[in-house]
């Protein structure tokens, strides 16, 4: 098979499950902020594998950790102690308000674990309560339970009947959570900022008020930081900006710098699992944990969280300048390097496609919203280049 782009497109049609609507490029290589397609064309990557390659593509920290650990020990089992897993767990505990960690393979799996832990807690401590309140426009994953948690009809409708025990209410609406709370409720599960829902930033006091309500009612607060965690929003964890600590927190995307990993963390009082009640074969293996440990250590050592704050401000102010010139832009929103451009019309698809043709990868997150989630190492120069391309694309559309 030659590496002609059309051949891969044809092959995908034939052999791959037709689920992803793909953009017309085949990416074969990446370095730092850039990737290259099979025709040798270069792209500036402002999607980063969906907020995953936090240090950019093939960063030496990632490559070195992977190769070093691959030569040492790749997989054991959670039936044995392994060093990288415990080092990573220790670092996560030291840098967060949580006390214990369980490492798995993805965001959905982290949320499944968090949901199971909350149900266990409900069974043991809340008189058998099992309902979890989540929000509309949330995204928590693609398993059946996390689909039930995800308050978006497009994901739920094809799979009904879904697992019971989830109530979806409006985001950024404390009264809706209060109204949905009853004696069966064991937890409230939220993203500090909704990512896949279109980068929806709640009021500054929302999380704090939800926290107070959970305290009043004895409920667990689960924060899904799969997207917002690991410095993405300008602090290591987004909850740190909202003055509200979760009882359970989930992580995934940016944690491994590109390798598949998820984790859920909990406060000691919520750690009610008994031996054997949850588990994983691959989760927490030495290869992935050694890599995530080095990535997280690097992010902390280089204080990339502060860098993200500055770069996020630079990006948003540049986008606001564009908004002054182009009336098609309705709003610029986000925190840190989780940023969205909301249009007045459903033009996200052609905008993303034209950006791609001009060498910039950005993400369509809604029909009328594009999202910027570049690697955390992005510089002003690269942001200026991206803004320039977006500006040209919008100008051409006038
Ligand atoms: C991406 C995402 C998930 C799902 O993660 P997967 O690794 O795709 O399973 C869950 N929650 C949030 C907030 C996400 O952004």
């Amino acid at each position: 098979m030659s590496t002609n782009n059309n051949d891969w497109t044809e092959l995908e049609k034939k052999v791959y499950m037709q689920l992803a609507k793909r953009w017309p490029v085949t990416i074969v290589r990446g370095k730092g902020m850039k990737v290259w397609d099979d025709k040798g064309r270069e792209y500036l990557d402002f999607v980063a594998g969906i907020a995953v390659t936090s240090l950019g593509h093939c960063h030496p920290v990632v490559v070195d950790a992977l190769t070093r650990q691959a030569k040492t020990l790749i997989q054991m089992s959670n039936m044995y102690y392994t060093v990288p897993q415990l080092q990573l767990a220790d670092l996560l505990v030291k840098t967060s308000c949580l006390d214990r960690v369980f490492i798995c393979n993805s965001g959905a799996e982290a949320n499944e674990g968090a949901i199971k832990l909350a149900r266990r807690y409900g069974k043991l401590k809340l008189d058998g309560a099992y309902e979890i309140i989540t929000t509309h426009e949330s995204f928590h994953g693609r398993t059946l339970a996390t689909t039930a948690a995800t308050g978006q009809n497009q994901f739920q409708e094809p799979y009904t009947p879904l697992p019971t025990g989830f109530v979806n209410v409006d985001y950024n609406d404390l009264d809706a959570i209060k109204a949905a709370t009853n004696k069966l409720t064991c937890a409230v599960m939220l993203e500090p900022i909704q990512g896949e829902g279109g980068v929806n930033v709640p009021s500054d006091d929302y999380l704090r008020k939800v926290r107070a309500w959970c305290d009043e009612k004895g409920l667990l607060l689960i924060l899904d930081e799969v997207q917002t965690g690991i410095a993405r929003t300008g602090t290591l964890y987004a909850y740190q900006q909202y003055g509200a600590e979760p009882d359970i927190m989930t992580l995934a995307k940016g944690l491994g710098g590109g390798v598949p990993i998820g984790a859920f963390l909990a406060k000691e009082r919520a750690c009610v699992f008994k031996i054997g009640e949850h588990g994983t074969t691959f989760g927490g293996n030495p290869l992935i944990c050694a890599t995530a440990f080095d990535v997280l250590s690097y992010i902390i050592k280089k204080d990339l969280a502060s860098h993200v704050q500055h770069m996020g401000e630079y990006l948003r102010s540049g986008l606001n300048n564009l908004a002054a010139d182009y009336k098609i832009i309705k709003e610029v929103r986000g925190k840190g390097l989780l940023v969205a451009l909301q249009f007045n019309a459903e033009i996200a698809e052609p905008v993303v496609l034209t950006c791609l043709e001009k060498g910039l990868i950005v993400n369509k997150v809604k029909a009328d919203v594009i999202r910027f989630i570049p690697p955390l190492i992005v510089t002003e120069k690269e942001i200026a280049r991206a803004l320039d391309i977006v500006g040209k694309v919008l100008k051409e559309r006038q």
Side-chain angles (χ1 to χ4, degrees), residues 10-77:
E10 288 303 309
L11 187 62
E12 194 265 0
K13 268 205 192 75
K14 218 170 100 195
V15 303
Y16 211 79
M17 298 253 179
Q18 297 294 290
L19 287 164
K21 198 193 156 299
R22 300 189 200 245
W23 300 100
V25 285
T26 303
I27 302 298
V28 295
R29 188 165 64 88
K31 183 133 191 64
M33 285 294 301
K34 291 173 182 167
V35 293
W36 287 267
D37 70 13
D38 57 346
K39 299 187 183 78
R41 281 208 59 194
E42 182 181 296
Y43 302 85
L44 191 56
D45 184 4
F46 270 58
V47 176
I50 316 191
V52 167
T53 53
S54 34
L55 305 186
H57 293 278
C58 301
H59 192 283
V61 163
V62 177
V63 175
D64 290 352
L66 274 171
T67 47
R68 184 189 73 239
Q69 191 60 39
K71 291 180 200 163
T72 309
L73 184 69
I74 293 175
Q75 161 77 6
M76 271 306 284
S77 151

Side-chain angles (χ1 to χ4, degrees), residues 50 105-109 111 139-142 191 193 195-196 224-228 250 252-253 261 371:
I50 316 191
N105 309 285
S106 69
E109 215 188 317
N111 285 332
F139 187 81
H140 299 296
R142 301 287 205 153
E191 295 157 87
I193 295 171
E196 300 307 305
D224 177 347
E225 293 233 23
V226 165
Q227 185 156 162
T228 55
T250 58
K253 290 189 164 88
I261 186 168
R371 178 173 50 167

